[in-house]
Amino acid sequence: MDGGAHLRFISSGDSQAEADGSFAQQYRQAHAKAGLSRLGVGSILDWLTRRDGDARGIDSLLEDGAPLTSDNRDRVKGNLFLSFLFHDLRDRLRGHMDVARAAGTGPFAALPDGLSQQQKLNWLRAQACISLNHVLDEWAVALAGKPAPACPFARMARFAQGFFRGSALYARADHDMVSISKTGSNTALHMCFSLVEASLHLGLDLPIEPWRDAMWRSRKELKTLAAGSLGMIVTFLHASKLEPEGESAVNPTTGEACAFRIEHASDGVRLRLDGRSITPFSTGNDRIYTGCPAFHVSGMIEMYLDWVLDLAIHHGLHAPERPLYDRPWPERWAGAAAAD
């Protein structure tokens, strides 16, 4: 085993530059209450890179004197392998999105007639996920066709495919490398669409460029959520009603629930996640977590958001259908909205 790798465990209760009472602070503290520590993924990715994608010996590296349960170890390994592989996926996805924008295909194609604004959003949500899933299928085929000795990603893909097939954790969930990539990527897209949906539902009525700027300033909320443990993310999505019916991003949400609030800051308007739905959660078997694989790939979550914002603007979903004064505020946000 390469002795140059040094694991870094980040206490979920450590002091960082977070505003008192902010979502980020509450979220981090809830992880600490659940007994979870975040693994510094960078050192592991560096170790895998030095070994050209060869993951043999990673179990000893992870446990490092503190044994993990089999589920915790497999969950962390699965996220690490995908974090490594998504560095290859990122450029393929970006190329696909650029082509669709320019050609007006996929989710950029004309929408069916007669849809309400919410129906348009749900249609786009589904089409974007379907389009992304096609890319993931093509990506897996392309990886399988590359010579493993010459390509670190191909070597890792072969290792990861065997790992997912042999893992009891992923077998119980009926997931392989491609399906778990689709699930996570769809969830990332879903959160970006939820940000757009929230801006409509809260009546954020701005011209295109200021609206886009407000959404872009809000991206930290998505990244903060993505940095959490899978159990904490899923628990929050369920409690805040951000999780769509059927637990898949291609299924529509009703638009009646909103886990965001409008904030007027010195640098402009943004949406903030509300922390009231944060609930400490652990399976009882987990000691460490990594966060979403896309969180560890520079610019990947921003790429998803950029695509979704382009889609919303292209189809005129950047502003509420009715004037702001004619929109009933959601009951749970009436006070905050009035104050804004």
Side-chain angles (χ1 to χ4, degrees), residues 23-188:
F23 180 89
Q25 185 185 71
Q26 293 177 59
Y27 196 50
R28 180 178 298 280
Q29 290 172 347
H31 278 79
K33 288 179 182 177
L36 299 172
S37 293
R38 182 159 59 90
L39 175 67
V41 168
S43 61
I44 309 294
L45 295 182
D46 288 345
W47 180 79
L48 289 169
T49 299
R50 288 196 301 272
R51 295 167 57 89
D52 293 327
D54 183 351
R56 289 176 297 178
I58 195 170
D59 285 0
S60 298
L61 184 64
L62 286 177
E63 298 203 353
D64 198 27
L68 303 174
T69 65
S70 60
D71 278 5
N72 194 185
R73 182 174 57 248
D74 280 9
R75 187 173 292 111
V76 169
K77 285 167 61 178
N79 284 344
L80 288 168
F81 297 158
L82 292 180
S83 296
F84 185 89
L85 288 168
F86 280 6
H87 283 81
D88 182 68
L89 173 64
R90 175 187 53 195
D91 292 339
R92 178 178 287 267
L93 272 175
R94 181 177 287 115
H96 167 81
M97 293 171 179
D98 289 344
V99 168
R101 282 188 191 97
T105 56
F108 285 93
L111 299 178
D113 294 333
L115 299 182
S116 68
Q117 192 171 55
Q118 184 63 47
Q119 288 170 329
K120 289 178 182 178
L121 191 63
N122 288 336
W123 177 275
L124 285 178
R125 191 195 308 269
Q127 293 305 308
C129 287
I130 291 168
S131 183
L132 185 147
N133 287 346
H134 286 322
V135 179
L136 285 164
D137 287 332
E138 294 169 355
W139 171 64
V141 171
L143 276 177
K146 291 181 179 179
C151 177
F153 295 114
R155 180 181 290 109
M156 170 55 77
R158 286 162 174 73
F159 189 95
Q161 285 166 343
F163 160 74
F164 282 110
R165 281 196 300 267
S167 166
L169 172 68
Y170 291 102
R172 290 197 301 270
D174 195 26
H175 272 311
D176 58 17
M177 188 186 87
V178 175
S179 68
I180 195 69
S181 296
K182 289 179 178 179
T183 298
S185 298
N186 285 350
T187 300

